[in-house]
Amino acid sequence: MPTTRPSRRPAREALLEAAAKRFYAHGLTGTGIDSITAEAGVAKKSLYNNFASKAELVTAYLFARHEEWLGLYRARLAKAATPKSRVLAVFDAYADHADLAYEHGFRGCGLLNAAAELPIGDPGRAVVRRHKEEVEALLAQHLAELPGPAGQAAHLARHLAFLLEGSMVRAGLEGDDRCVREARDIAAGLLDSL
């Protein structure tokens, strides 16, 4: 009787998963190609068959982190019934991201950690910037659904985005989601005062 071997996942997927684990745990510059290919269980040639360079792998990793956060946000958004709860869903998604299982614990926003290592003009920094701009735009979109003076949504979205980013930095230093949850409570209080 013939036996079937379990199918292996595609090398690109394995490489991205390994890169995500290594880059977050050890940083971009602290992670070599050899450690990524070893973690992924693929030959170095597979890496270069899927990515033109380490820089291209870094950019793909950053985009994948953005998509990972969007998935968490969409799950929270699906349960949000009011404009206020939709705003707070953004904070909840960040807290959910902080609560994921990380090899060496939560070290803050993986996108900002990576951006700090990249030179100005690097394509990876553009991915991080787009993510942060999209988060602020989502906040503004949900804030615009609340009653209040026209034009206030963009200003308040910027304020809440800064609150969120500051809380993520502190959460990274403390290694858990407490600061993000506290920022969520502050945001809820601000929204209640509108």
Side-chain angles (χ1 to χ4, degrees):
M1 183 183 318
T3 60
T4 57
R5 292 178 52 195
S7 64
R8 288 180 45 129
R9 62 191 167 139
R12 181 178 177 85
E13 180 184 322
L15 287 162
L16 278 171
E17 186 177 310
K21 188 175 180 182
R22 296 286 117 220
F23 287 153
Y24 189 80
H26 304 289
L28 305 179
T29 56
T31 302
I33 295 299
D34 291 339
S35 69
I36 294 171
T37 56
E39 176 89 22
V42 301
K44 193 182 285 190
K45 184 176 180 181
S46 291
L47 184 129
Y48 292 110
N49 285 340
N50 286 279
F51 303 97
S53 63
K54 181 180 176 184
E56 188 176 299
L57 176 61
V58 166
T59 300
Y61 154 71
L62 294 171
F63 184 75
R65 290 227 23 131
H66 168 70
E67 290 297 317
E68 180 180 61
W69 181 83
L70 280 176
L72 295 170
Y73 163 71
R74 288 180 186 123
R76 286 294 188 156
L77 187 62
K79 300 173 188 171
T82 66
K84 177 184 174 183
S85 64
R86 288 189 279 278
V87 170
L88 297 177
V90 175
F91 285 81
D92 291 334
Y94 267 78
D96 291 345
H97 221 198
D99 292 337
L100 294 176
Y102 296 106
E103 182 178 4
H104 299 293
F106 180 64
R107 299 180 55 241
C109 176
L111 293 169
L112 287 179
N113 293 348
E117 294 188 58
L118 297 171
I120 300 295
D122 187 280
R125 287 179 69 98
V127 173
V128 175
R129 182 183 183 115
R130 281 192 303 272
H131 169 77
K132 300 304 181 182
E133 289 170 348
E134 186 170 343
V135 169
E136 189 173 328
L138 290 168
L139 287 166
Q141 173 188 334
H142 300 315
L143 288 165
E145 299 171 26
L146 292 167
Q152 185 180 359
H155 175 74
L156 186 53
R158 188 99 168 142
H159 184 80
L160 291 180
F162 288 169
L163 173 65
L164 181 58
E165 292 305 325
S167 72
M168 281 296 284
V169 170
R170 283 291 302 272
L173 289 172
E174 296 179 19
D176 58 42
D177 71 355
R178 282 179 297 146
C179 289
V180 179
R181 299 242 176 249
E182 188 175 343
R184 183 198 190 278
D185 292 343
I186 293 167
L190 287 170
L191 296 176
D192 287 342
S193 70
L194 293 179

